[in-house]
Amino acid sequence: MGEPRPAAFLDRDGVLIEDDGYPHDPALVRWVPGAAAAVALLRRAGYWVFVVTNQSGVARGLYPEAAVAALHGWMNQHLAGGVDAFEYCPHHPDAPLAAYRQDCACRKPRPGMILALLQRFPVRRQGSFLVGDRASDLAAATAAGLPGHLFPGGRLDAFIAPLVEAAG
Ligand SMILES: [Mg+2]
């Protein structure tokens, strides 16, 4: 996979797509403005692009893991294949579905998803960052030793552009 490159770890709901409450149906997804442009500018800057998303809707029985995978495939078509990996956590410690009821290491604010990606891909920590819309996202970044940035809404590409430039 070549020389290590910096990575952008993006939360999904509330960052790439609007968080309407356990989004899982492509027909109902609303893109955050500038989402595709943000991914495109990260690619042009040579970044890995990773999505790290808690999907406790699986543990709650709202939708199966197959729906998560289908949505991610659909999203990556829209994003011109720009996402290198979608990492999701289907667990919840109080899940009604026993198969997913666990106090796992991957559910944010824990850093398991980020650490797994750092093991799988040649990531250069210098310049890498996370963008999320909740404190638990930023806590996961901190626990993984990466800077986290709280996305307040608006255009995602405008929010991310200065982070990339700052990374050089
Ligand atoms: Mg979110």
Side-chain angles (χ1 to χ4, degrees):
M1 289 199 238
E3 290 296 302
R5 297 188 269 133
F9 297 84
L10 307 178
D11 178 38
R12 195 192 80 183
D13 304 342
V15 174
L16 286 171
I17 62 176
E18 301 288 357
D19 189 351
D20 294 324
Y22 303 104
H24 60 281
D25 180 353
L28 301 177
V29 161
R30 296 185 302 128
W31 289 96
V32 165
V39 170
L41 77 85
L42 286 165
R43 305 297 299 190
R44 282 198 303 275
Y47 273 63
W48 296 107
V49 180
F50 302 129
V51 171
V52 287
T53 177
N54 285 355
Q55 290 300 316
S56 70
V58 173
R60 299 174 201 272
L62 300 176
Y63 44 86
E65 288 197 63
V68 179
L71 177 58
H72 291 170
W74 178 87
M75 286 178 66
N76 220 7
Q77 289 185 342
H78 180 87
L79 299 170
V83 175
D84 294 292
F86 290 80
E87 200 78 7
Y88 68 93
C89 168
H91 309 117
H92 192 277
D94 304 318
L97 298 187
Y100 296 105
R101 188 185 309 140
Q102 54 173 288
D103 191 20
C104 63
C106 52
R107 179 173 168 80
K108 294 175 285 184
R110 291 179 176 163
M113 291 189 284
I114 298 169
L115 297 178
L117 289 163
L118 290 172
Q119 291 224 322
R120 274 167 49 203
F121 293 85
V123 172
R124 194 186 78 199
R125 281 178 171 269
Q126 177 66 35
S128 295
F129 60 83
L130 173 143
V131 173
D133 69 325
R134 296 194 186 186
S136 54
D137 297 313
L138 307 194
T142 300
L146 295 174
H149 302 279
L150 190 66
F151 176 56
R155 284 200 64 95
L156 184 62
D157 53 343
F159 183 80
I160 283 182
L163 305 179
V164 173
E165 289 167 8

